[in-house]
């Protein structure tokens, strides 16, 4: 079995069509791709795809194989990237990822520690959704990331930094804007805008909160991220739930309000690959508690206490 077989299979599975995968992603002919897939199935010993009139679908065995195939490809890509980085000149580089908007709170304090540990280090930054940050860590594209504890993140460790309370964001002109707190019943009566389309961990926290409160939050609008969700709030007159750090991203036409009762929280973690050999990364991890204390002491954002 060769790596190309896995790439071909993943492309077909994601496209749902041999023809589309051949033409759009693999630059090969459909008959050639069909032969490659048949060879793969023969080697695995089971059918991975069901051929249908309008494309293909995964068999139960194919769904299991797809998850492992993706992980195998990720590991190979990480190995290649690691080898290439090892062959480069020895100037230290640290690649850091953040949830969009989170860097405003955490980056200044992190940079201070980096400069104390290794002032010659070149720092590169990116902002992505939490699942994409986890994927970048798995691929070796990032050394560390501030993200949610994403499931199925092979080889990634998550160090808890804070528990972020959720807040409600609503238009400044909304009738509830004069309230200091928003109740679950208030949420249930208003147009709800989802802020968690690309954040399954945040979505699960919101779902548990709604269930425990005895309400249903069925989104009428869904934002791609927190920023777009707040834009939808302003234009639709609805309400969304976001982590506390999103106060950094408020525009004049929306306001944030605390939630009444037991406030749900979502974990913020520092993620890193267990296979990353960077000595600087290890030194930064050893100072993570200091980083948290610095943020807690100097930021206007007040996170919940993390359990010891």
């Amino acid at each position: 079995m060769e790596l190309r077989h896995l790439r071909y299979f993943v492309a077909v599975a994601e496209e749902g069509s041999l023809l589309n995968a051949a033409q759009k992603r693999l630059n090969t002919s459909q008959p050639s791709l069909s032969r490659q897939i048949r060879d793969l199935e023969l080697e695995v010993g089971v059918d991975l795809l069901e051929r249908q009139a309008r494309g293909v679908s995964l068999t139960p065995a194919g769904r299991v194989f797809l998850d492992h195939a993706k992980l195998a490809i990720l590991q190979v890509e990480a190995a290649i990237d690691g080898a290439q980085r090892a062959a480069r000149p020895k100037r230290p580089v640290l690649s850091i990822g953040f949830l969009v908007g989170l860097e405003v709170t955490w980056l200044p304090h992190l940079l201070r520690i980096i400069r104390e540990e290794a002032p010659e280090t070149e720092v590169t930054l990116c902002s992505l959704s939490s699942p994409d940050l986890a994927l970048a860590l798995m691929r070796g594209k990032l050394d560390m990331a501030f993200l949610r504890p994403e499931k199925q993140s092979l080889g990634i460790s998550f160090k808890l930094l804070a528990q972020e309370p959720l807040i409600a964001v609503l238009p400044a002109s909304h009738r509830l804007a004069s309230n200091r707190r928003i109740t679950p019943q208030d949420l249930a009566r208003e147009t709800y805008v989802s802020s968690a389309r690309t954040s399954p961990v945040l979505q699960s926290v919101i779902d548990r909160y709604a269930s425990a409160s005895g309400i249903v939050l069925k989104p009428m609008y869904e934002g791609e991220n927190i920023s777009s969700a707040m834009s939808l709030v302003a234009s639709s007159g609805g309400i969304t739930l976001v982590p506390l750090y999103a106060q950094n991203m408020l525009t004049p036409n929306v306001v944030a309000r605390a939630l009444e009762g037991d406030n749900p929280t979502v974990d913020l973690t520092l993620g890193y690959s267990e296979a990353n050999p960077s000595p600087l990364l290890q030194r930064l991890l050893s100072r993570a508690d200091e980083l948290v204390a610095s943020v807690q002491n100097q930021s206007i954002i007040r996170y919940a206490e993390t359990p010891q």
Side-chain angles (χ1 to χ4, degrees):
M1 186 183 303
E2 299 180 21
L3 184 62
R4 61 186 172 87
H5 290 123
L6 299 182
R7 295 189 188 278
Y8 289 166
F9 173 71
V10 170
V12 172
E14 291 180 346
E15 292 291 336
S17 166
L18 286 160
L19 180 60
N20 288 345
Q23 293 181 344
K24 295 181 179 179
R25 294 177 56 171
L26 301 174
N27 194 28
T28 188
S29 67
Q30 181 179 348
S32 174
L33 179 57
S34 296
R35 287 194 299 272
Q36 299 287 343
I37 296 298
R38 283 198 299 271
D39 289 345
L40 176 63
E41 289 178 316
L42 286 173
E43 186 163 356
V44 176
V46 295
D47 289 336
L48 301 175
L49 298 171
E50 292 181 358
R51 279 71 174 174
Q52 301 168 341
R54 295 187 177 182
V56 296
S57 62
L58 291 169
T59 64
R63 286 193 290 271
V64 173
F65 189 80
L66 178 62
D67 290 338
H68 289 281
K70 287 182 175 180
L71 288 175
I73 293 171
L74 286 174
Q75 290 300 307
V76 171
E77 290 176 347
I80 293 172
D81 185 71
Q84 291 174 342
R85 292 172 65 180
R88 293 172 191 154
K90 293 299 183 179
R91 183 183 180 188
V93 177
L94 189 73
S95 299
I96 309 172
F98 288 91
L99 294 169
V100 177
L102 194 66
E103 60 272 20
V104 175
T105 303
W106 291 85
L107 182 57
H109 306 283
L110 178 61
L111 285 179
R112 173 185 58 78
I113 295 176
I114 292 173
R115 296 307 175 216
E116 292 174 0
E117 291 289 343
E120 75 284 4
T121 299
E122 176 184 344
V123 176
T124 64
L125 305 174
C126 73
S127 297
L128 298 167
S129 69
S130 185
D132 285 343
L133 288 171
L135 190 60
L137 288 171
M138 292 170 63
R139 288 177 169 169
K141 302 297 184 183
L142 292 175
D143 292 299
M144 58 195 302
F146 292 73
L147 75 169
R148 307 302 174 198
E150 300 293 337
K151 296 180 180 179
Q152 298 180 343
S153 298
L154 184 67
I156 303 303
S157 288
F158 299 95
K159 182 176 180 60
L160 181 63
L161 297 177
Q163 293 176 316
E164 299 181 284
L166 299 192
I167 55 175
V169 172
L170 58 158
S173 59
H174 197 284
R175 62 181 181 81
L176 295 175
S178 58
N179 295 5
R180 292 186 60 190
R181 295 180 177 273
I182 303 298
T183 69
Q185 290 68 35
D186 290 332
L187 289 171
R189 287 191 290 264
E190 300 298 322
T191 299
Y192 182 65
V193 178
S194 173
S195 65
R197 184 172 180 178
T198 56
S199 181
V201 175
L202 176 58
Q203 186 61 61
S204 66
V205 169
I206 293 173
D207 289 343
R208 289 196 299 270
Y209 169 70
S211 177
S213 302
I215 62 172
V216 175
L217 295 177
K218 185 176 181 180
M220 186 171 294
Y221 303 97
E222 295 191 36
E224 286 292 336
N225 50 45
I226 289 175
S227 179
S228 63
M230 289 197 288
S231 295
L232 284 169
V233 164
S235 59
S236 70
I239 297 180
T240 192
L241 295 179
V242 297
L244 183 62
Y245 85 86
Q247 287 186 119
N248 291 325
M249 306 162 64
L250 293 180
T251 56
N253 54 355
V254 296
V255 296
R257 295 291 182 265
L259 296 175
E260 187 72 46
D262 292 335
N263 205 329
T265 62
V266 60
D267 288 349
L268 174 64
T269 64
L270 181 61
Y272 59 95
S273 171
E274 298 163 359
N276 191 324
S278 167
L280 175 57
L281 173 63
Q282 297 306 315
R283 297 201 298 274
L284 294 177
L285 291 174
S286 71
R287 297 182 66 176
D289 291 343
E290 177 186 341
L291 172 65
V292 171
S294 180
V295 170
Q296 293 279 23
N297 291 337
Q298 298 183 30
S299 176
I300 61 171
I301 302 294
R302 287 289 177 256
Y303 294 119
E305 291 292 333
T306 56
Q308 301 298 317

